[in-house]
């Protein structure tokens, strides 16, 4: 069965990656593209300032971009991928769900809502069934599913492995985040070249809350957030793609660096089309992972870890993920694949 998909916010940093990942895809076919009013009516090639180092796919190059509104999404679309600014998605996404569409979204709106699943398919696929609660409460025929923020996705898989092994009680994290994480108009070259910016608006709060929801338990009615204390400090640096993070995790049980590394290496991936063979790649070399060398591992869907060391309360490690692939577009596509596998499409 081929699932017809639409992409709303198709011209931006994440939208372009969605197009790259969906052309081609074994189950999904792109049938509609939307963006802002200034792009509407143009062909995709005219509207998108294409930044990926491969040509604009022929399948979308001459497609007319629609204006983002529920009435602009054709009826025969089964799944909508959203990469809209959060303030726009906050209005448009629920309207689409009410109109019967299933939406897999990158935007931060609704991520913390009690009845909206926030999933990394390899980590908490069971949370998907929160959709049943959502449909009961909101009366929607459609559904809203969220993937987390890119910086959160970078640290949660190794933390999940550590939590299963020894119980995570406290996490401190400092990030070194790439400029593509701010979207195409987010950071100007004069701000970031020869510089680092020790502030990313609202990012720290997202890491602190989304991590607890992702690592929480779902009892069939509600997600009970994990009780770990999470404290984040977020920095923008002049890399193009790939967020690198330094993580300190205190654990309930004693854990050695070798045990932590083995648990991360063994943490299972899934059989979904976009899951990498190896979810977490653990490096022995102390100077890895590095953004330029390691962000494309597993076609940008593997999370890399290195520098695992013992601390007084647990372990310290460095983790890296490609922010617009594993951290955004790839995360949404994986969630779409999870929806399909579980009969929601
Ligand atoms: P972006 O490069 O700024 O792209 C935004 C997209 O939304 C463009 O297609 C833009 O269309 C469209 N848009 C803007 N204003 C609109 C409006 N008023 N009505 C309809 N469409 C509008 O942003 P991005 O980096 O792709 O991020 C998209 C979403 O994903 C954001 O919510 C972001 O927080 C989230 N996210 C991003 C990353 C990342 O690494 N970049 C990671 C995780 C999550 P035009 O081209 O016509 O302006």
């Amino acid at each position: 069965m081929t699932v017809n998909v639409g992409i709303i916010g198709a011209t931006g940093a994440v939208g372009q990656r969605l197009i790259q990942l969906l052309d081609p895809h074994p189950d999904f076919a792109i049938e509609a593209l939307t963006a802002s009013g200034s792009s509407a009516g143009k062909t995709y090639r005219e509207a998108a300032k294409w930044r990926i180092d491969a040509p604009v796919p022929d399948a979308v190059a001459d497609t007319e971009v629609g204006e983002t509104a529920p009435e602009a999404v054709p009826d025969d679309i089964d799944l909508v991928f959203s990469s809209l600014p959060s303030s726009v998605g906050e209005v448009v996404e629920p309207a689409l769900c009410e109109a019967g569409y299933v939406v897999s979204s990158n935007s931060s709106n609704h991520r913390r809502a009690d009845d909206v699943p926030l999933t990394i398919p390899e980590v908490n696929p069971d949370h998907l069934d929160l959709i049943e609660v959502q449909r009961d409460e909101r009366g929607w025929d459609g559904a809203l599913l969220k993937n987390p923020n890119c910086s959160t996705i970078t640290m949660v898989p190794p933390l999940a492995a550590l939590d299963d092994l020894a119980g995570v009680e406290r996490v401190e994290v400092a990030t070194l985040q790439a400029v593509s994480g701010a979207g195409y108009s987010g950071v100007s070259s004069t701000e970031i070249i020869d510089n680092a910016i020790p502030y990313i608006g609202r990012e720290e709060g997202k890491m602190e809350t989304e991590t607890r929801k992702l690592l929480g338990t779902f009892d069939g009615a509600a997600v009970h957030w994990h009780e770990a204390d999470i404290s984040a400090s977020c920095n923008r640096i002049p890399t193009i793609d790939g967020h690198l993070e330094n993580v300190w995790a205190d654990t309930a049980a004693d854990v050695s660096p070798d045990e932590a590394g083995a648990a991360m290496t063994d943490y299972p991936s899934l059989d979904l089309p976009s899951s990498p063979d190896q979810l977490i790649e653990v490096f022995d070399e102390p100077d890895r992972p590095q953004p330029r060398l390691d962000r494309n591992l597993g076609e940008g869907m593997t999370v890399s870890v290195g520098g695992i060391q013992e601390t007084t309360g647990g372990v310290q490690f460095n983790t890296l993920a490609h922010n617009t692939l594993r951290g955004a577009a790839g995360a949404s596509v994986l969630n779409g694949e999870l929806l399909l596998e579980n009969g929601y499409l």
Side-chain angles (χ1 to χ4, degrees), residues 9-14 35-36 38-39 68 83-86 88 106-107 150 180-181 183-184 323-324 327-328:
T11 49
V14 178
S36 75
S38 62
S39 296
T68 301
S83 48
L84 291 171
S86 186
V88 183
N106 269 285
S107 302
C150 44
S180 62
Y184 280 154
N323 55 296
T324 57

Side-chain angles (χ1 to χ4, degrees), residues 71-281:
E71 55 276 15
V73 179
D75 289 343
D76 64 350
I77 296 293
D78 307 301
L79 172 63
V80 175
F81 289 109
S82 172
S83 48
L84 291 171
S86 186
S87 58
V88 183
E90 186 163 16
V91 179
V92 173
E93 292 171 2
L96 283 165
C97 297
E98 195 159 357
Y101 296 98
V102 175
V103 178
S104 172
S105 167
N106 269 285
S107 302
S108 59
N109 67 81
H110 291 87
R111 280 193 194 136
R112 283 176 280 180
D114 288 344
D115 63 348
V116 176
L118 176 72
T119 54
I120 298 174
E122 297 93 341
V123 171
N124 63 335
D126 58 311
H127 291 205
L128 186 69
D129 289 337
L130 193 56
I131 287 176
E132 304 297 346
V133 177
Q134 181 188 98
R135 285 177 164 167
D136 280 352
E137 287 182 359
R138 301 195 188 227
W140 288 346
D141 290 329
L144 182 58
L145 172 63
K146 293 278 164 176
N147 57 260
N149 177 267
C150 44
S151 52
T152 307
I153 296 181
T154 303
M155 76 168 180
V156 164
L159 282 179
L162 202 55
D163 195 42
D164 288 352
L165 177 70
V168 170
E169 291 185 325
R170 176 169 174 73
V171 177
E172 292 178 16
V173 54
T175 70
L176 302 134
Q177 296 182 224
V179 291
S180 62
Y184 280 154
S185 54
V187 187
S188 73
S189 54
T190 48
E191 281 177 283
I192 198 68
I193 291 174
D194 185 32
N195 206 7
I197 302 172
Y199 172 74
I200 302 176
R202 296 184 300 281
E203 193 85 350
E204 292 158 359
K206 290 177 193 171
M207 292 188 81
E208 290 162 6
T209 53
E210 292 173 16
T211 300
R212 294 182 54 220
K213 186 171 178 183
L214 287 158
L215 295 178
T217 50
F218 177 54
D219 66 5
V223 174
H224 303 278
W225 290 24
H226 197 287
E227 289 187 350
D229 288 324
I230 319 272
S231 181
S233 175
C234 296
N235 303 280
R236 185 78 66 202
I237 62 159
T239 43
I240 303 287
D241 290 315
H243 292 348
L244 178 64
E245 303 178 356
N246 313 124
V247 182
W248 290 259
D250 288 356
T251 50
D254 288 344
V255 58
S256 71
D258 283 350
E259 290 166 336
M264 292 175 193
T265 300
D266 293 345
Y267 197 80
S269 190
L270 290 177
D271 226 0
L272 297 172
S274 299
S275 291
D277 292 340
Q278 183 70 34
L279 176 60
I280 305 172
E281 180 80 34

Side-chain angles (χ1 to χ4, degrees), residues 267-343:
Y267 197 80
S269 190
L270 290 177
D271 226 0
L272 297 172
S274 299
S275 291
D277 292 340
Q278 183 70 34
L279 176 60
I280 305 172
E281 180 80 34
V282 176
F283 285 93
D284 291 329
E285 297 91 325
D287 61 349
R288 303 286 285 275
Q290 297 179 18
R292 188 150 45 89
L293 300 182
D294 302 313
R295 61 193 169 206
N296 289 321
L297 275 178
E299 297 185 33
M301 294 298 284
T302 288
V303 176
S304 333
V305 169
I308 307 177
Q309 299 174 51
E310 198 171 333
T311 63
T312 47
V315 289
Q316 192 264 322
F317 60 90
N318 304 317
T319 181
L320 169 84
H322 194 301
N323 55 296
T324 57
L325 290 170
R326 167 50 77 172
S332 275
V333 172
L334 259 182
N335 271 346
E337 293 165 358
L338 187 71
L339 284 160
L340 181 61
E341 189 183 69
N342 285 273

